[in-house]
Amino acid sequence: MSKVSNRGFTLIELITALALVAILAVLAIPSFRGFIANQQVKTASYDLLVALNYARGEAIKRNETVTVQAVGGAWSGGWQVKATIDGTAVVLKEWDAQNTISFSDTPVSFAFLANGRISGGVGASLSVCKRKATQRIVIVDMSGHASLKRSGACSE
């Protein structure tokens, strides 16, 4: 007589396990969406901060004005770092923005002078937001130093 050994799972055990996984997934998805939205806002604001710091460094290095400006007049279209080389405006770097992220409309550009200070002598800020995410504000003070600040939930 040979003994048959039972290995593996029965169909009922497998269906029960799959049902539990499905229930846990349904419970986790809403909070995961908020996490993704926050990460997208954080990424966009850090990308803008990197562009501003890069432009300031280039202005000091080149000893001339370097500008960070919104592509097409809207930050949601991305932004470019531009310098004037031999009388011609040249794009040094360009960043794309996700179309699901919203930015405040003003200012449309930041110009860094040869000494690294912001043009106009007055600081400016730009808010970065997405529904169900924490708003972040990119701040450039009059010395040209760029920083980030978290500012509660987005109002969209």
Side-chain angles (χ1 to χ4, degrees), residues 61-128:
K61 180 176 88 175
R62 295 170 183 270
N63 198 28
E64 64 181 35
T65 302
V66 175
T67 305
V68 178
Q69 68 181 43
V71 173
W75 293 102
S76 57
W79 47 91
Q80 299 174 329
V81 175
K82 289 185 174 182
T84 304
I85 300 173
D86 297 327
T88 306
V90 176
V91 175
L92 301 176
K93 275 194 171 183
E94 186 170 345
W95 282 262
D96 293 327
Q98 295 181 2
N99 57 4
T100 59
I101 303 291
S102 65
F103 297 83
S104 57
D105 295 332
T106 56
V108 178
S109 67
F110 296 91
F112 293 92
L113 303 173
N115 61 3
R117 295 175 71 85
I118 194 88
S119 176
V122 178
S125 65
L126 186 69
S127 67
V128 183

